[in-house]
Coordinates of all heavy atoms in Angstrom, one line a residue:
M1 N 0.9 -1.2 0.0 CA 0.0 0.0 0.0 C 0.9 1.2 0.0 O 1.7 1.4 0.9 CB -0.9 0.0 1.3 CG -1.8 1.1 1.4 SD -2.8 1.2 3.0 CE -3.7 -0.4 2.9
N2 N 0.7 2.1 -1.0 CA 1.6 3.3 -1.1 C 1.0 4.4 -0.2 O -0.2 4.3 0.3 CB 1.8 3.7 -2.5 CG 0.6 4.2 -3.2 OD1 -0.3 4.8 -2.6 ND2 0.5 4.0 -4.5
K3 N 1.7 5.5 -0.1 CA 1.2 6.6 0.8 C -0.1 7.2 0.4 O -1.0 7.4 1.3 CB 2.3 7.6 0.9 CG 2.1 8.7 1.9 CD 3.3 9.6 2.1 CE 3.0 10.6 3.2 NZ 4.2 11.4 3.5
E4 N -0.3 7.4 -0.9 CA -1.5 8.0 -1.4 C -2.7 7.1 -1.1 O -3.8 7.6 -0.6 CB -1.4 8.3 -2.9 CG -0.4 9.3 -3.2 CD -0.3 9.5 -4.7 OE1 -1.0 8.8 -5.5 OE2 0.6 10.3 -5.1
I5 N -2.6 5.8 -1.3 CA -3.7 4.9 -1.0 C -4.0 4.8 0.5 O -5.1 4.9 0.9 CB -3.4 3.5 -1.6 CG1 -3.4 3.5 -3.1 CG2 -4.4 2.5 -1.1 CD1 -2.9 2.3 -3.8
F6 N -2.9 4.8 1.3 CA -3.1 4.7 2.7 C -3.9 6.0 3.2 O -4.9 5.8 4.0 CB -1.7 4.7 3.4 CG -1.8 4.8 4.9 CD1 -2.0 3.6 5.7 CD2 -1.7 6.0 5.6 CE1 -2.1 3.7 7.1 CE2 -1.8 6.1 6.9 CZ -2.0 5.0 7.7
I7 N -3.4 7.1 2.8 CA -4.1 8.4 3.2 C -5.5 8.4 2.8 O -6.4 8.8 3.5 CB -3.3 9.6 2.7 CG1 -1.9 9.7 3.4 CG2 -4.1 10.9 2.9 CD1 -1.0 10.6 2.9
K8 N -5.8 8.0 1.5 CA -7.2 8.0 1.0 C -8.1 7.1 1.8 O -9.2 7.4 2.2 CB -7.1 7.6 -0.5 CG -8.5 7.7 -1.1 CD -8.4 7.3 -2.6 CE -9.8 7.3 -3.2 NZ -9.8 6.9 -4.6
R9 N -7.6 5.9 2.0 CA -8.4 4.9 2.8 C -8.7 5.3 4.2 O -9.7 5.2 4.7 CB -7.8 3.5 2.7 CG -7.8 2.9 1.4 CD -7.2 1.5 1.4 NE -7.2 0.9 0.0 CZ -6.8 -0.3 -0.2 NH1 -6.2 -1.0 0.7 NH2 -6.8 -0.8 -1.5
K10 N -7.6 5.9 4.8 CA -7.8 6.4 6.2 C -8.8 7.5 6.2 O -9.7 7.5 7.1 CB -6.4 6.8 6.7 CG -6.5 7.4 8.2 CD -5.1 7.8 8.7 CE -5.3 8.6 10.0 NZ -4.0 9.1 10.4
Q11 N -8.7 8.4 5.3 CA -9.6 9.5 5.2 C -11.1 9.1 5.0 O -12.0 9.6 5.6 CB -9.2 10.6 4.2 CG -10.0 11.8 4.3 CD -9.9 12.5 5.6 OE1 -8.8 12.7 6.1 NE2 -11.1 12.8 6.2
N12 N -11.2 8.1 4.1 CA -12.6 7.5 3.9 C -13.2 6.9 5.2 O -14.4 7.1 5.4 CB -12.5 6.4 2.8 CG -12.3 7.0 1.4 OD1 -12.5 8.2 1.2 ND2 -11.9 6.1 0.5
L13 N -12.4 6.3 6.0 CA -12.8 5.8 7.3 C -13.2 6.9 8.2 O -14.2 6.8 9.0 CB -11.8 4.8 7.9 CG -11.6 3.5 7.1 CD1 -10.5 2.7 7.7 CD2 -12.9 2.7 7.0
I14 N -12.4 7.9 8.3 CA -12.7 9.1 9.1 C -14.0 9.7 8.7 O -14.8 10.1 9.5 CB -11.5 10.1 9.1 CG1 -10.3 9.4 9.8 CG2 -11.9 11.4 9.7 CD1 -9.0 10.2 9.7
N15 N -14.2 9.8 7.4 CA -15.4 10.4 6.9 C -16.6 9.5 7.3 O -17.7 10.0 7.6 CB -15.4 10.6 5.4 CG -14.4 11.7 5.0 OD1 -13.9 12.5 5.8 ND2 -14.0 11.6 3.7
L16 N -16.4 8.2 7.2 CA -17.5 7.3 7.6 C -17.9 7.5 9.0 O -19.1 7.5 9.4 CB -17.1 5.8 7.3 CG -18.0 4.7 7.8 CD1 -19.3 4.8 7.0 CD2 -17.3 3.4 7.7
I17 N -16.9 7.6 9.9 CA -17.2 7.8 11.3 C -17.9 9.1 11.5 O -18.9 9.2 12.2 CB -15.9 7.8 12.1 CG1 -15.3 6.4 12.1 CG2 -16.1 8.3 13.5 CD1 -13.9 6.3 12.7
A18 N -17.4 10.2 10.9 CA -18.1 11.5 11.0 C -19.5 11.5 10.5 O -20.4 12.0 11.2 CB -17.3 12.6 10.2
D19 N -19.8 10.8 9.4 CA -21.1 10.7 8.9 C -22.0 10.0 9.8 O -23.2 10.3 10.1 CB -21.1 10.0 7.5 CG -20.5 10.9 6.4 OD1 -20.4 12.1 6.6 OD2 -20.2 10.3 5.4
T20 N -21.5 8.9 10.4 CA -22.3 8.0 11.3 C -22.6 8.8 12.6 O -23.7 8.7 13.1 CB -21.5 6.7 11.6 OG1 -21.3 6.0 10.4 CG2 -22.4 5.8 12.5
L21 N -21.6 9.5 13.1 CA -21.8 10.3 14.4 C -22.8 11.4 14.2 O -23.4 11.8 15.3 CB -20.5 10.8 14.9 CG -19.5 9.8 15.4 CD1 -18.1 10.5 15.7 CD2 -20.0 9.1 16.7
T22 N -23.1 11.9 13.0 CA -24.0 12.9 12.9 C -25.5 12.4 12.8 O -26.4 13.3 12.8 CB -23.7 13.8 11.6 OG1 -23.7 13.0 10.5 CG2 -22.4 14.5 11.8
K23 N -25.7 11.2 12.7 CA -27.0 10.6 12.6 C -27.7 10.7 13.9 O -27.1 10.4 15.0 CB -27.0 9.1 12.1 CG -26.5 9.0 10.7 CD -26.5 7.5 10.3 CE -26.0 7.4 8.9 NZ -25.8 6.0 8.5
M24 N -29.0 11.1 13.9 CA -29.7 11.3 15.1 C -30.0 10.0 15.9 O -30.1 10.0 17.1 CB -31.1 12.0 14.8 CG -30.9 13.3 14.2 SD -30.3 14.5 15.4 CE -31.8 15.1 16.1
E25 N -30.2 8.9 15.2 CA -30.6 7.7 15.8 C -29.5 6.8 16.4 O -29.7 5.7 16.9 CB -31.4 6.8 14.8 CG -30.7 6.3 13.6 CD -30.6 7.2 12.4 OE1 -31.1 8.3 12.5 OE2 -30.0 6.8 11.4
I26 N -28.3 7.3 16.4 CA -27.2 6.5 16.9 C -27.2 6.5 18.4 O -27.5 7.5 19.0 CB -25.8 7.1 16.4 CG1 -24.7 6.2 16.7 CG2 -25.6 8.5 16.8 CD1 -23.3 6.5 16.1
C27 N -27.0 5.4 19.0 CA -27.1 5.2 20.4 C -25.8 5.7 21.1 O -24.7 5.8 20.4 CB -27.4 3.8 20.8 SG -26.1 2.6 20.6
E28 N -25.8 5.9 22.4 CA -24.6 6.4 23.1 C -23.5 5.4 23.0 O -22.3 5.8 22.9 CB -25.0 6.7 24.5 CG -24.0 7.5 25.3 CD -23.7 8.9 24.7 OE1 -24.6 9.5 24.1 OE2 -22.5 9.3 24.8
Q29 N -23.7 4.1 23.1 CA -22.7 3.1 23.1 C -22.0 3.1 21.7 O -20.7 3.0 21.7 CB -23.2 1.7 23.3 CG -22.2 0.6 23.4 CD -21.1 0.9 24.5 OE1 -21.4 1.2 25.6 NE2 -19.9 0.7 24.1
D30 N -22.7 3.3 20.6 CA -22.1 3.4 19.3 C -21.2 4.7 19.2 O -20.2 4.6 18.6 CB -23.2 3.4 18.2 CG -23.8 2.0 18.0 OD1 -23.3 1.0 18.5 OD2 -24.9 2.0 17.4
K31 N -21.7 5.8 19.8 CA -20.9 7.0 19.8 C -19.6 6.8 20.5 O -18.5 7.2 20.0 CB -21.6 8.1 20.4 CG -22.8 8.7 19.6 CD -23.4 9.8 20.4 CE -24.7 10.3 19.6 NZ -25.3 11.4 20.4
I32 N -19.6 6.1 21.6 CA -18.4 5.9 22.4 C -17.5 5.0 21.6 O -16.2 5.3 21.5 CB -18.7 5.2 23.7 CG1 -19.5 6.2 24.6 CG2 -17.5 4.7 24.4 CD1 -20.1 5.6 25.9
S33 N -18.0 3.9 21.0 CA -17.2 3.0 20.2 C -16.5 3.7 19.0 O -15.4 3.5 18.7 CB -18.0 1.8 19.7 OG -18.4 1.0 20.8
L34 N -17.3 4.5 18.3 CA -16.8 5.2 17.1 C -15.8 6.2 17.4 O -14.8 6.4 16.7 CB -18.0 5.8 16.3 CG -18.8 4.8 15.5 CD1 -20.0 5.5 15.0 CD2 -18.0 4.1 14.4
N35 N -16.0 6.9 18.6 CA -15.0 7.9 19.0 C -13.7 7.2 19.4 O -12.6 7.7 19.1 CB -15.5 8.7 20.1 CG -16.4 9.8 19.6 OD1 -16.1 10.5 18.7 ND2 -17.5 10.0 20.3
K36 N -13.7 6.0 20.0 CA -12.5 5.2 20.3 C -11.8 4.8 19.0 O -10.6 4.8 18.9 CB -12.9 4.0 21.2 CG -11.7 3.2 21.6 CD -10.7 4.0 22.4 CE -9.5 3.1 22.8 NZ -8.5 3.8 23.5
V37 N -12.6 4.3 18.0 CA -12.0 3.9 16.7 C -11.3 5.1 16.1 O -10.2 5.0 15.6 CB -13.1 3.3 15.8 CG1 -12.6 3.2 14.4 CG2 -13.6 2.0 16.3
L38 N -12.0 6.2 16.1 CA -11.4 7.5 15.6 C -10.1 7.8 16.3 O -9.1 8.2 15.7 CB -12.4 8.6 15.7 CG -11.9 9.9 15.0 CD1 -11.6 9.8 13.6 CD2 -13.0 11.0 15.3
E39 N -10.1 7.7 17.6 CA -8.9 8.0 18.4 C -7.7 7.0 18.0 O -6.6 7.5 17.7 CB -9.2 7.8 19.9 CG -8.1 8.0 20.8 CD -8.5 7.8 22.2 OE1 -9.6 8.2 22.6 OE2 -7.7 7.1 23.0
V40 N -8.0 5.7 17.8 CA -7.0 4.8 17.4 C -6.5 5.0 16.0 O -5.4 5.0 15.7 CB -7.5 3.3 17.6 CG1 -6.5 2.3 17.0 CG2 -7.7 3.0 19.1
L41 N -7.5 5.3 15.1 CA -7.2 5.5 13.7 C -6.3 6.7 13.5 O -5.4 6.7 12.7 CB -8.5 5.7 12.9 CG -8.4 5.7 11.4 CD1 -7.8 4.4 10.9 CD2 -9.8 5.9 10.8
N42 N -6.5 7.7 14.4 CA -5.7 9.0 14.3 C -4.3 8.7 14.7 O -3.4 9.5 14.4 CB -6.3 10.1 15.1 CG -7.4 10.8 14.3 OD1 -7.4 10.8 13.1 ND2 -8.5 11.2 15.0
E43 N -4.0 7.6 15.4 CA -2.6 7.3 15.8 C -1.8 6.7 14.6 O -0.6 6.7 14.7 CB -2.7 6.2 16.9 CG -3.2 6.7 18.3 CD -3.2 5.7 19.3 OE1 -2.5 4.7 19.2 OE2 -3.9 5.9 20.3
Y44 N -2.5 6.3 13.6 CA -1.9 5.7 12.4 C -1.4 6.8 11.5 O -2.1 7.7 11.2 CB -2.9 4.9 11.6 CG -3.1 3.5 12.2 CD1 -3.7 3.3 13.4 CD2 -2.9 2.4 11.4 CE1 -4.0 2.0 13.9 CE2 -3.1 1.1 11.9 CZ -3.7 0.9 13.1 OH -3.9 -0.3 13.6
S45 N -0.2 6.7 11.1 CA 0.4 7.5 10.0 C 1.0 6.6 9.0 O 1.2 5.4 9.3 CB 1.4 8.5 10.5 OG 2.5 7.9 11.0
F46 N 1.3 7.1 7.8 CA 2.0 6.2 6.9 C 3.3 5.8 7.4 O 3.7 4.6 7.2 CB 2.2 7.0 5.5 CG 2.8 6.1 4.5 CD1 2.0 5.1 3.8 CD2 4.1 6.2 4.1 CE1 2.6 4.3 2.9 CE2 4.7 5.4 3.1 CZ 3.9 4.4 2.5
E47 N 4.0 6.6 8.1 CA 5.3 6.3 8.6 C 5.3 5.2 9.7 O 6.2 4.4 9.8 CB 6.0 7.6 9.1 CG 6.4 8.6 8.0 CD 5.2 9.3 7.5 OE1 4.1 9.4 8.1 OE2 5.3 9.8 6.3
N48 N 4.3 5.2 10.5 CA 4.2 4.3 11.7 C 3.2 3.1 11.4 O 3.0 2.4 12.3 CB 3.9 5.0 13.0 CG 2.5 5.4 13.1 OD1 1.6 5.2 12.3 ND2 2.2 6.1 14.2
R49 N 2.7 3.0 10.2 CA 1.6 2.1 10.0 C 2.0 0.6 10.3 O 1.2 -0.2 10.7 CB 1.2 2.2 8.5 CG 2.2 1.6 7.5 CD 1.9 2.0 6.1 NE 2.8 1.4 5.1 CZ 4.0 1.7 4.9 NH1 4.6 2.7 5.7 NH2 4.8 1.1 4.1
L50 N 3.3 0.3 10.0 CA 3.7 -1.1 10.2 C 3.8 -1.4 11.7 O 3.6 -2.5 12.2 CB 5.0 -1.4 9.5 CG 4.9 -1.3 8.0 CD1 6.3 -1.5 7.4 CD2 3.9 -2.3 7.4
Q51 N 4.2 -0.4 12.5 CA 4.3 -0.6 14.0 C 2.9 -0.6 14.6 O 2.6 -1.3 15.6 CB 5.1 0.5 14.6 CG 6.5 0.5 14.3 CD 6.9 1.1 13.0 OE1 6.2 1.9 12.4 NE2 8.1 0.7 12.4
K52 N 1.9 0.1 14.0 CA 0.6 0.2 14.6 C -0.3 -0.9 14.0 O -1.4 -1.2 14.6 CB -0.1 1.6 14.2 CG 0.6 2.7 14.9 CD 0.3 2.7 16.3 CE 0.9 4.0 17.0 NZ 0.6 4.0 18.4
K53 N 0.1 -1.5 12.9 CA -0.8 -2.6 12.3 C -1.3 -3.6 13.4 O -0.5 -4.1 14.1 CB 0.0 -3.3 11.2 CG -0.9 -4.3 10.5 CD -0.1 -5.0 9.4 CE -1.0 -6.0 8.7 NZ -0.5 -6.5 7.5
G54 N -2.6 -3.8 13.4 CA -3.2 -4.8 14.3 C -3.8 -4.1 15.5 O -4.8 -4.7 16.1
L55 N -3.4 -2.9 15.8 CA -4.0 -2.2 17.0 C -5.5 -1.9 16.8 O -6.3 -2.2 17.7 CB -3.2 -0.9 17.3 CG -3.7 0.0 18.4 CD1 -3.6 -0.8 19.7 CD2 -3.0 1.3 18.5
L56 N -5.8 -1.5 15.6 CA -7.2 -1.1 15.3 C -8.1 -2.4 15.4 O -9.1 -2.4 16.0 CB -7.3 -0.5 13.9 CG -8.6 0.1 13.5 CD1 -9.1 1.2 14.5 CD2 -8.5 0.7 12.2
S57 N -7.6 -3.5 14.8 CA -8.4 -4.7 14.8 C -8.6 -5.2 16.2 O -9.7 -5.6 16.6 CB -7.6 -5.8 13.9 OG -7.6 -5.4 12.6
H58 N -7.5 -5.3 16.9 CA -7.6 -5.8 18.3 C -8.5 -4.9 19.2 O -9.3 -5.5 20.0 CB -6.2 -5.9 19.0 CG -5.4 -7.0 18.4 ND1 -5.6 -8.3 18.7 CD2 -4.3 -6.9 17.6 CE1 -4.7 -9.0 18.0 NE2 -3.9 -8.2 17.3
T59 N -8.5 -3.6 19.0 CA -9.3 -2.7 19.8 C -10.8 -3.0 19.4 O -11.6 -3.1 20.3 CB -9.0 -1.3 19.5 OG1 -7.6 -1.0 19.8 CG2 -9.9 -0.3 20.2
I60 N -11.1 -3.2 18.2 CA -12.5 -3.4 17.7 C -13.0 -4.8 18.3 O -14.0 -4.9 18.8 CB -12.6 -3.3 16.2 CG1 -12.4 -1.9 15.8 CG2 -13.9 -3.9 15.7 CD1 -12.3 -1.7 14.3
I61 N -12.1 -5.8 18.1 CA -12.5 -7.1 18.5 C -12.6 -7.3 20.0 O -13.6 -7.9 20.5 CB -11.6 -8.2 17.8 CG1 -11.8 -8.2 16.3 CG2 -11.8 -9.6 18.4 CD1 -10.7 -8.9 15.6
D62 N -11.7 -6.8 20.7 CA -11.6 -7.0 22.1 C -12.4 -6.1 23.0 O -12.8 -6.4 24.1 CB -10.1 -7.0 22.6 CG -9.3 -8.1 22.0 OD1 -9.8 -9.1 21.5 OD2 -8.0 -7.9 22.0
S63 N -12.5 -4.8 22.5 CA -13.0 -3.8 23.4 C -14.3 -3.1 23.0 O -15.0 -2.5 23.9 CB -12.0 -2.7 23.6 OG -10.8 -3.3 24.1
L64 N -14.7 -3.2 21.8 CA -15.8 -2.3 21.3 C -16.9 -3.1 20.8 O -16.8 -4.3 20.4 CB -15.3 -1.4 20.2 CG -14.1 -0.5 20.5 CD1 -13.7 0.3 19.3 CD2 -14.4 0.4 21.7
E65 N -18.1 -2.5 20.8 CA -19.3 -3.1 20.2 C -19.7 -2.3 19.0 O -20.2 -1.2 19.1 CB -20.4 -3.1 21.2 CG -20.1 -4.0 22.4 CD -21.3 -4.0 23.4 OE1 -22.4 -3.6 23.0 OE2 -21.0 -4.3 24.6
L66 N -19.3 -2.8 17.8 CA -19.7 -2.2 16.5 C -20.5 -3.1 15.7 O -20.3 -4.4 15.8 CB -18.4 -1.8 15.8 CG -17.6 -0.6 16.2 CD1 -16.3 -0.5 15.4 CD2 -18.4 0.7 16.2
D67 N -21.3 -2.6 14.9 CA -22.0 -3.4 13.9 C -21.0 -4.1 13.1 O -20.0 -3.6 12.7 CB -23.0 -2.6 13.0 CG -24.1 -2.0 13.7 OD1 -24.5 -2.6 14.8 OD2 -24.7 -1.0 13.3
Y68 N -21.3 -5.4 12.7 CA -20.4 -6.2 11.9 C -19.9 -5.4 10.6 O -18.7 -5.4 10.4 CB -20.9 -7.5 11.6 CG -20.0 -8.4 10.8 CD1 -19.0 -9.1 11.4 CD2 -20.1 -8.5 9.4 CE1 -18.1 -9.8 10.7 CE2 -19.2 -9.2 8.7 CZ -18.2 -9.9 9.3 OH -17.3 -10.7 8.6
P69 N -20.8 -4.9 9.8 CA -20.3 -4.2 8.6 C -19.4 -3.1 8.8 O -18.4 -2.9 8.1 CB -21.6 -3.7 7.9 CG -22.7 -4.6 8.5 CD -22.3 -4.9 9.9
Q70 N -19.6 -2.3 9.9 CA -18.7 -1.2 10.3 C -17.4 -1.7 10.7 O -16.4 -1.3 10.2 CB -19.3 -0.4 11.4 CG -20.4 0.6 10.9 CD -20.8 1.5 12.1 OE1 -20.9 1.0 13.2 NE2 -21.1 2.7 11.8
G71 N -17.4 -2.6 11.6 CA -16.2 -3.2 12.2 C -15.3 -3.8 11.1 O -14.1 -3.7 11.1
E72 N -16.0 -4.5 10.2 CA -15.3 -5.2 9.1 C -14.5 -4.2 8.2 O -13.4 -4.5 7.8 CB -16.3 -5.9 8.2 CG -15.6 -6.7 7.1 CD -16.7 -7.5 6.3 OE1 -17.8 -7.1 6.1 OE2 -16.3 -8.6 5.8
K73 N -15.0 -3.0 8.0 CA -14.3 -2.0 7.1 C -13.0 -1.6 7.8 O -12.0 -1.4 7.1 CB -15.2 -0.8 6.9 CG -16.4 -1.1 6.0 CD -17.3 0.1 5.9 CE -18.5 -0.3 5.0 NZ -19.5 0.8 4.9
F74 N -13.1 -1.4 9.1 CA -11.9 -0.9 9.8 C -10.8 -2.1 9.9 O -9.6 -1.8 9.7 CB -12.2 -0.4 11.2 CG -13.1 0.8 11.2 CD1 -14.5 0.7 11.5 CD2 -12.6 2.0 10.8 CE1 -15.3 1.8 11.5 CE2 -13.5 3.1 10.7 CZ -14.8 3.0 11.1
I75 N -11.3 -3.3 10.1 CA -10.4 -4.4 10.2 C -9.8 -4.7 8.9 O -8.6 -5.0 8.8 CB -11.2 -5.6 10.8 CG1 -11.5 -5.4 12.3 CG2 -10.4 -6.9 10.6 CD1 -12.5 -6.4 12.9
T76 N -10.5 -4.6 7.8 CA -10.0 -4.8 6.5 C -8.9 -3.8 6.2 O -7.8 -4.1 5.7 CB -11.1 -4.6 5.4 OG1 -12.1 -5.7 5.6 CG2 -10.6 -4.8 4.0
F77 N -9.1 -2.5 6.5 CA -8.1 -1.5 6.4 C -6.8 -1.9 7.1 O -5.7 -1.8 6.6 CB -8.6 -0.1 6.9 CG -7.6 0.9 7.1 CD1 -7.0 1.6 6.0 CD2 -7.1 1.3 8.3 CE1 -6.1 2.6 6.1 CE2 -6.1 2.2 8.5 CZ -5.6 2.9 7.4
D78 N -7.0 -2.3 8.4 CA -5.9 -2.7 9.2 C -5.1 -3.9 8.6 O -3.9 -3.9 8.6 CB -6.4 -3.0 10.6 CG -5.3 -2.9 11.7 OD1 -4.4 -2.1 11.5 OD2 -5.5 -3.5 12.7
N79 N -5.9 -4.8 8.1 CA -5.2 -6.1 7.6 C -4.5 -5.8 6.3 O -3.6 -6.5 5.9 CB -6.3 -7.1 7.4 CG -6.8 -7.7 8.7 OD1 -6.1 -7.7 9.7 ND2 -7.9 -8.3 8.7
E80 N -4.9 -4.8 5.5 CA -4.3 -4.5 4.2 C -3.1 -3.6 4.3 O -2.5 -3.4 3.3 CB -5.4 -3.9 3.3 CG -6.4 -4.9 2.9 CD -7.5 -4.4 2.0 OE1 -7.5 -3.1 1.8 OE2 -8.3 -5.2 1.4
I81 N -2.7 -3.2 5.5 CA -1.5 -2.4 5.6 C -0.3 -3.2 5.3 O -0.1 -4.3 5.8 CB -1.4 -1.8 7.0 CG1 -2.5 -0.8 7.2 CG2 -0.1 -1.2 7.3 CD1 -2.6 -0.2 8.6
R82 N 0.5 -2.7 4.4 CA 1.8 -3.3 4.0 C 2.9 -2.3 4.1 O 2.8 -1.2 3.9 CB 1.7 -3.8 2.6 CG 0.5 -4.7 2.3 CD 0.9 -6.2 2.6 NE -0.2 -7.1 2.3 CZ -1.0 -7.6 3.2 NH1 -0.9 -7.4 4.4 NH2 -2.0 -8.5 2.8

């Protein structure tokens, strides 16, 4: 994954979180989970991606309650880091 692709995919996930957080029907637990995902995602940079790889997946699987389709998008991003 080159730098441009990494940045684009990361930004798409950040946009997804922002869009989801603005929905009126989102429950408090989902807000907490998405904000935690955003916090972890913001720790990733192209330069440190290999050191951070896996952190997002582990956080989602071990600590958060996200809908499967949402969680899968973040885990896929994390798994595709090279």
Side-chain angles (χ1 to χ4, degrees):
M1 176 182 306
N2 68 33
K3 188 172 185 173
E4 291 174 5
I5 292 172
F6 174 85
I7 291 169
K8 182 179 178 183
R9 289 182 182 178
K10 179 181 171 184
Q11 189 59 51
N12 286 342
L13 293 175
I14 291 170
N15 292 343
L16 174 67
I17 293 170
D19 290 345
T20 304
L21 287 173
T22 59
K23 293 180 181 176
M24 297 292 272
E25 66 272 2
I26 187 170
C27 72
E28 192 62 31
Q29 183 60 43
D30 287 346
K31 286 181 185 178
I32 292 168
S33 293
L34 287 170
N35 280 317
K36 180 62 179 175
V37 169
L38 184 58
E39 181 182 312
V40 173
L41 190 58
N42 280 328
E43 292 179 20
Y44 281 62
S45 67
F46 183 75
E47 291 74 21
N48 74 3
R49 72 194 186 287
L50 298 176
Q51 290 82 20
K52 294 290 183 180
K53 183 177 178 169
L55 178 62
L56 188 59
S57 298
H58 288 288
T59 301
I60 291 169
I61 292 168
D62 295 341
S63 305
L64 303 178
E65 295 180 23
L66 288 176
D67 291 337
Y68 180 81
Q70 279 184 327
E72 183 179 32
K73 290 176 184 176
F74 298 107
I75 291 170
T76 299
F77 167 77
D78 202 26
N79 288 337
E80 290 179 350
I81 290 175
R82 305 272 185 257

